[in-house]
Structure formats: structure tokens, C-alpha cells
Amino acid sequence: MIRTVRKPLGAVAGGLALMLALSSCGLDDSSSGAEGSDGGTLTIYTARDKGLAEAVVADFEAANPDYAGKVEILTLGAQEALERIRAEKANPQGDIWWGGTGQQMKQAAGDDVLAPAPEAVIDAVPEELRDPSGLWVGEMQLAEVIFYNHDMLSEEEAPKDWDDLIAPEMADKVAIRDVEASGTMRSIYAAMIDRQYDAAGSPEAGYDWLRKLDANTKVYAANPTDLYLRVTRQEAAASAWNLQDVMLQIEKQNAPYTPVVPASGAPMLVDGVAKIKNGPSSEAADAFLEFLFSEETQKDLSETYYQIPSIEMTETPAWLAELDLVEMDVDWDRIGQNESE
């Protein structure tokens, strides 16, 4: 279980000295062999923000010129990426899967489609935020929150907790990202079922809650961009999504959003990254993972892209230190066993 409550980074342990060594020495040794056994394109399947992914890849290529122009980014929903990797098992086409929930990563590890990350990366990530054998590693933690268009709702009218989304006054005011293809929404839905499981002794109370949410939902958005556009254009007033992407829309797109940390707590997801087993560019994949988990890269991502890093940092970003982030108690193991149902 993730034990991040109010000060998430204070609960993350281990790996600082090793990551300082990585960030100080860079990847000169590993990148010098870029034209060796790989020599081709590094293909990254990612559910991450497009601008973020492109910026990280540009920095990676600048730090490792041997890979310049040899990185291809394919943006997919997390569930879509998982299904593609499964379908390509006999003939893998990708090298890195960047952006998926811990539950999805566990499924992929069980399907034998992932390979261990470099040892330095595995050691840098706390055990509770990664696969025991390093078949996937958590890059960051995602807080799942509510957000609303403050041009449509006042602070008093806006939902303050999860149950407010199913209140009568929110009828036809909610937009939801299409659930099946979205790791984020699947996890939010699963958390909404799990939070009522112990009291009810079954998932039925959670299913009833989701039916009420469906009744209040005006539109199901095809993808995250569609979701943002619909809320920005006032087709719907509120939604549920991860805090990082909401903050990015506010910062980068001047979106009229206000995020709300639900009073009963925010589910905290582990957002992972993995090396695809038998991918065509294994050495390049290792080099990218080492670059991604350097403290320098994670510091930039936390300050610029509102990430909550999995590795221990020497300094907590100001925006995170000021955030009164309370974690919802969620049984992720139970969710992992029953998510498909």
C-alpha cells in the first residue's frame, strides 16, 4: 500500500545516494555503445502528456547524442498500450511502456511481456512502488481528484467529495473519460467500488454508486483531450481525473479549472514504466530508463510538470509542500484481483 498522506514524499524511501551518482555521472558509458547490438529506433509507448514526453525525449537525446533522432513516441491510452504489448508478444515492436497503473503493470508482468529495468533504477525505487524483480517500476504517484470549471460553478456549488458527484444538483453536469481505454478512469472506478466494499461485504454498493454517477454523466469523452475540451467549452461542469494533468491544463492551457482534493481522500495511484521483453532496442531502453530516473530529470518533472516522484528528492517542490493531500485508504491488492470483473 502507498503510505503517502499529506506529505507524500516523506513516505518514499531509499535510493538517494545511488540516484545522485547517476545524475552526476550521466549516461556517457552506456550511450557510447548505442550503435552496438541495437542501432535502431527506440520506440516508446506512452500514456503520458504529449508535451512532457517530447520534452523528456529531447533532453535525453541532447544528453546522449548517439540516440538523437532515433526515438519514436507512440501515444496510447494505458490500457491500449497494455493490449498492444500483449498482442505483440511473439514479435515485440516497442521497447518502453511509459505510463500505466500498478495494476496494469502487474498484469503485464504476469503475462511475461516485461523485462527487468537496469539494477540502478530498481534499487532507486522503494519496494512498495515497484515489482519485486524490477519488471516494472513506479516513476511517480498520481493523486486522483475532482476538478470543475469555475466559470460554471462557484466554490460553494462545486463538489467537495466523491458523493457530491452523484447528488441531484449535478445531473447532466459531469463529463467522464471513456473508462474502458483509460487506466486512470478504471482505477478511479475501482476505488469507488472498493471504498464501499468492506461495509457492504460485496461490490454491489459500489456498482450502485457508479449507476448514479452514470445518471449524472452528460458525456463520455473519447480521450483526455476531448475531456478537457468539453469541460472548457462548458458542455459539462465537473469531472474526475488525475491532479497532474489538471494542473498542467491550468498552467499550460490557462484552463478555467479548479482542482478539489476530496474530503474523504484521493486515491493515490502508482504510475509506472517498464522495459518491454525482447524489444528491438534493449540497450537504448536501459539508457532511457536510467536518464528518466536520474534526480535531475525527476526534479525538473516535479517542478515543471507537477509530478510526485517515486524516488527520494533532496527538496520537495513548493506546490506539493503547500498541498493538503490526503490519501484514500484503498485495497489495491483486492482491486488488482478483481479489476477485470
Side-chain angles (χ1 to χ4, degrees):
M1 295 295 294
I2 304 171
R3 296 184 293 275
T4 303
V5 180
R6 298 190 182 276
K7 293 183 179 179
L9 295 181
V12 178
L16 176 57
L18 186 52
M19 293 316 297
L20 286 172
L22 271 176
S23 59
S24 64
C25 69
L27 293 172
D28 291 341
D29 291 339
S30 59
S31 63
S32 64
E35 296 296 338
S37 61
D38 293 334
T41 299
L42 171 66
T43 301
I44 300 173
Y45 298 159
T46 183
R48 305 301 303 280
D49 174 82
K50 182 178 179 182
L52 181 156
E54 291 177 346
V56 170
V57 167
D59 289 344
F60 169 68
E61 291 183 350
N64 300 271
D66 287 339
Y67 296 115
K70 296 183 178 181
V71 182
E72 180 180 356
I73 303 171
L74 183 59
T75 301
L76 300 166
Q79 188 66 25
E80 294 171 310
L82 171 58
E83 291 169 359
R84 181 171 185 141
I85 293 166
R86 284 169 168 163
E88 295 175 347
K89 181 176 181 179
N91 184 26
Q93 301 298 302
D95 301 292
I96 293 288
W97 174 18
W98 182 18
T101 66
Q103 287 68 46
Q104 290 168 320
M105 293 281 172
K106 288 177 183 177
Q107 291 173 28
D111 291 337
D112 193 30
V113 293
L114 305 180
E119 200 66 35
V121 173
I122 297 172
D123 291 344
V125 178
E127 291 183 3
E128 66 269 23
L129 301 180
R130 61 170 171 82
D131 176 77
S133 300
L135 293 176
W136 62 270
V137 287
E139 186 205 355
M140 64 175 179
Q141 296 181 90
L142 285 171
E144 306 304 324
V145 301
I146 298 166
F147 74 97
Y148 66 94
N149 185 324
H150 52 239
D151 291 339
M152 297 181 69
L153 298 176
S154 67
E155 183 177 357
E156 292 73 25
E157 295 171 324
K160 298 172 178 60
D161 207 349
W162 297 108
D163 287 346
D164 294 339
L165 291 175
I166 64 172
E169 54 266 32
M170 290 301 293
D172 289 331
K173 293 181 180 178
V174 178
I176 295 293
R177 157 75 161 109
D178 178 52
V179 182
E180 186 173 0
S182 170
T184 294
M185 284 311 308
R186 289 164 72 100
S187 294
I188 291 174
Y189 270 40
M192 294 302 101
I193 296 170
D194 183 79
R195 73 190 180 114
Q196 302 182 72
Y197 189 96
D198 289 332
S202 78
E204 290 305 320
Y207 295 160
D208 287 341
W209 191 95
L210 290 176
R211 292 186 187 100
K212 293 175 183 177
L213 178 65
D214 176 69
N216 276 1
T217 298
K218 183 175 183 179
V219 63
Y220 287 91
N223 53 56
T225 300
D226 188 29
L227 176 66
Y228 307 144
L229 287 174
R230 290 179 184 276
V231 177
T232 299
R233 293 172 179 172
Q234 301 191 11
E235 294 181 34
S239 187
W241 199 241
N242 71 76
L243 177 64
Q244 181 190 28
D245 285 356
V246 173
M247 296 291 287
L248 285 173
Q249 290 299 308
I250 296 170
E251 176 71 20
K252 307 295 184 183
Q253 305 297 330
N254 197 30
Y257 303 161
T258 297
V260 177
V261 177
S264 59
M268 294 289 292
L269 308 184
V270 178
D271 192 81
V273 61
K275 179 180 175 180
I276 299 171
K277 186 175 181 179
N278 298 323
S281 298
S282 177
E283 290 181 12
D286 286 344
F288 179 79
L289 289 173
E290 289 177 350
F291 177 84
L292 181 63
F293 279 85
S294 69
E295 185 173 3
E296 181 180 356
T297 299
Q298 289 299 311
K299 181 176 185 293
D300 180 61
L301 289 173
S302 65
E303 293 177 347
T304 307
Y305 291 97
Y306 301 100
Q307 286 199 178
I308 303 174
S310 64
I311 67 170
E312 185 174 349
M313 306 291 287
T314 54
E315 185 178 350
T316 302
W319 71 270
L320 183 56
E322 296 170 0
L323 188 64
D324 189 21
L325 187 58
V326 180
E327 181 182 359
M328 176 185 288
D329 184 16
V330 178
D331 189 338
W332 292 113
D333 289 335
R334 179 162 59 199
I335 287 176
Q337 294 168 8
N338 296 282
E339 182 181 333
S340 296
E341 177 187 347

